[in-house]
Amino acid sequence: DSTKKTVSRAGTNLRMGGGGATANMDPEYNEQQQRFQNLEKRAMKLLQETKDYRGSISAMTNSQHALSKNLSAFLLDVQRPQDYQAAYRQAAQTIDQVSQPQFDEVYMHTVLQPMAQFCGYLPEFNKAIKKRKNLADDLERARKALAKEQTKGQQDPMSIERAEMDVQYAEEAYNVMNRTLIGEIPKLINSRVYVVDPSFEAFVKSQLQFFNDSLQQMDSVTRYLPPQGGPNDDRVLDQRIGDVMAQVRSLSICNHNVV
């Protein structure tokens, strides 16, 4: 039964130094298994990065919307209303509640879900690899049992025949799984191109649409700002900010050391 097999496999592993010799004798399989492990590591990393990117876009638009609301609250009692406050708040709200959800829906459907679906097949291959290892252990156990029967002083032909049948069955089961993995792993590796290519195209297009929408919303704010004057704009803004901060520093309370 399964309990006896598990105990027997554990004993075989101990005798073989951590794994059956059969499992390590096929260089073609070993190469494919290494390729699969590399693919799995890179695919899971890419999946996590696609999730992180989705989260970063959502966090950015949420933060922008919150900032716009706090900006209005910060200047709530200013006697001279600032038109850019309302324009910026409306733009940030539209980006957060319209543009970002539209981007998220497209991104989920065309980028994240296909990648997640591809990665969802990887555990099945890991199960098959584990099953191959167990079948290899079973084969080693069957061969040892046959050798034991063949070296007995008084051989039992019926026992030897049963042991030979056990070896034949174990070999067939192992070879089927071994050939399956050797054939299927390259197909899985090649299929990643057909997942990534259309997803990457959709990723670029969805980004372009989202940032174009965001740019259009922010353009509606710029009409409330002074026109750009050329390359010295940054220097002028720095000077204006410096003048304001100098006025703040001139306040008497700012000249006292408050502990």
Side-chain angles (χ1 to χ4, degrees), residues 23-254:
N24 300 318
M25 288 176 57
D26 190 336
E28 185 179 7
Y29 168 79
N30 292 339
E31 178 186 356
Q32 295 304 328
Q33 183 182 8
Q34 184 62 52
R35 293 182 68 202
F36 170 77
Q37 290 172 344
N38 292 337
L39 171 74
E40 181 181 34
K41 180 171 63 176
R42 293 168 181 169
M44 296 308 297
K45 182 179 180 181
L46 182 58
L47 176 61
Q48 185 59 52
E49 287 169 346
T50 59
K51 292 178 179 179
D52 292 345
Y53 182 82
R54 179 195 179 207
S56 68
I57 292 293
S58 178
M60 179 190 69
T61 61
N62 288 339
S63 297
Q64 185 180 41
H65 190 194
L67 186 152
S68 70
K69 291 188 289 186
N70 288 324
L71 176 64
S72 297
F74 185 64
L75 300 174
L76 184 62
D77 57 351
V78 173
Q79 293 181 354
R80 180 171 58 87
Q82 303 293 326
D83 292 334
Y84 71 82
Q85 299 171 32
Y88 180 71
R89 182 172 180 175
Q90 180 59 53
Q93 179 177 333
T94 301
I95 292 172
D96 187 44
Q97 297 182 358
V98 179
S99 301
Q100 189 276 329
Q102 289 176 347
F103 165 81
D104 192 71
E105 181 180 2
V106 174
Y107 185 82
M108 277 287 294
H109 181 68
T110 62
V111 180
L112 189 53
Q113 288 180 357
M115 193 64 207
Q117 186 176 6
F118 178 82
C119 290
Y121 293 118
L122 301 181
E124 298 303 317
F125 277 78
N126 278 318
K127 290 178 184 177
I129 289 171
K130 183 178 180 180
K131 184 175 181 180
R132 175 190 178 276
K133 168 89 169 45
N134 291 338
L135 291 172
D137 290 343
D138 289 344
L139 177 56
E140 290 296 317
R141 180 174 59 84
R143 285 173 174 171
K144 289 179 182 295
L146 175 59
K148 184 177 180 181
E149 289 292 337
Q150 291 172 335
T151 55
K152 283 183 178 180
Q154 294 184 344
Q155 294 184 354
D156 181 356
M158 294 294 293
S159 296
I160 292 177
E161 184 178 354
R162 285 195 297 268
E164 288 175 342
M165 291 179 64
D166 288 342
V167 169
Q168 181 180 357
Y169 173 79
E171 283 181 342
E172 290 176 354
Y174 167 78
N175 287 334
V176 167
M177 181 56 65
N178 193 59
R179 288 194 301 268
T180 298
L181 283 168
I182 291 174
E184 294 295 325
I185 288 176
K187 294 179 182 178
L188 175 71
I189 293 173
N190 292 337
S191 70
R192 76 193 190 277
V193 176
Y194 304 105
V195 175
V196 170
D197 279 359
S199 290
F200 181 74
E201 180 181 348
F203 177 47
V204 172
K205 290 181 178 178
S206 61
Q207 276 187 309
L208 181 62
Q209 184 63 52
F210 170 72
F211 288 116
N212 276 338
D213 291 345
S214 299
L215 179 61
Q216 289 178 9
Q217 294 300 324
M218 285 299 150
D219 274 344
S220 66
V221 183
T222 58
R223 64 193 180 101
Y224 297 104
L225 302 177
Q228 291 185 345
N232 293 325
D233 267 3
D234 290 342
R235 186 181 306 171
V236 173
L237 288 173
D238 287 342
Q239 182 62 48
R240 288 173 58 189
I241 294 173
D243 292 342
V244 172
M245 296 308 298
Q247 295 177 30
V248 174
R249 286 194 298 269
S250 69
L251 299 176
S252 60
I253 197 170
C254 294

